[in-house]
């Protein structure tokens, strides 16, 4: 059932990109669907989508989330960490990037490093909710 839902979502999103190949949001959504799947071929395709988007929009810090997800799915953990840290350099107050780095560090058994990052993510999120 989950695979059917993914295939349906991909079909709709691929059609949106085909109809409007320059549509940033549709392309980002397609990349996210692909890298979040467990299929290696989809993750590779999604990674290519994010790499193309980053080449066109190098100042979009949040693209590093999807890029990192694709890299991590493909076992390229050092590169995944690098891209998350690059996104954080670009947008240090973006709690979602901090959260992703914390989750990443936990997933590679670096809990000691993850703790302060997760705390910072939580603090930033609370600050963003108060705005």
């Amino acid at each position: 059932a989950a695979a059917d839902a993914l295939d349906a979502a991909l079909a709709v999103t691929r059609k949106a990109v085909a109809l409007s190949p320059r549509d940033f949001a549709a392309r980002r959504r397609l990349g996210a669907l692909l890298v979040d799947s467990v299929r290696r071929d989809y993750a590779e395709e999604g990674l290519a989508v994010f790499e193309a988007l980053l080449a066109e929009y190098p100042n979009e810090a949040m693209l590093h989330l999807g890029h990192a997800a694709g890299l991590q799915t493909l076992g390229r953990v050092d590169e995944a960490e690098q891209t998350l840290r690059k996104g954080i350099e670009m947008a240090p107050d973006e709690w979602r990037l901090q959260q992703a780095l914390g989750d990443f560090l936990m997933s590679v058994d670096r809990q000691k490093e993850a703790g302060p990052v997760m705390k910072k993510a939580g603090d930033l999120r609370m600050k963003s909710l108060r705005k």
Side-chain angles (χ1 to χ4, degrees):
D4 292 341
L6 173 63
D7 288 338
L10 279 171
V12 169
T13 308
R14 285 184 194 285
K15 187 169 191 164
V17 171
L19 290 170
S20 188
R22 307 291 312 142
D23 184 332
F24 175 85
R27 291 167 64 202
R28 194 194 71 227
R29 198 170 319 112
L30 176 61
L33 284 169
L34 290 164
V35 299
D36 287 343
S37 83
V38 293
R39 289 185 44 179
R40 186 174 181 87
D41 57 332
Y42 281 3
E44 288 170 350
E45 183 185 352
L47 184 60
V49 170
F50 278 106
E51 287 174 349
L53 285 168
L54 278 165
E56 289 177 59
Y57 303 95
N59 297 323
E60 286 290 331
M62 291 300 291
L63 289 174
H64 291 279
L65 276 178
H67 189 233
L71 289 166
Q72 190 170 9
T73 297
L74 296 171
R76 295 164 59 183
V77 292
D78 291 344
E79 292 170 84
E81 181 176 357
Q82 289 170 356
T83 198
L84 283 172
R85 291 188 184 278
K86 184 172 183 185
I88 289 169
E89 280 176 32
M90 296 169 71
D93 293 335
E94 177 49 69
W95 70 268
R96 291 170 293 186
L97 287 165
Q98 297 283 346
Q99 179 73 47
L101 178 61
D103 291 342
F104 168 83
L105 292 169
M106 293 290 286
S107 77
V108 294
D109 208 23
R110 290 164 57 191
Q111 284 77 7
K112 253 188 187 147
E113 290 173 72
V117 175
M118 297 295 254
K119 181 180 181 332
K120 184 172 184 178
D123 293 347
L124 288 169
R125 182 161 192 261
M126 292 309 295
K127 194 169 140 188
S128 76
L129 292 173
R130 287 195 291 268
K131 285 183 182 174

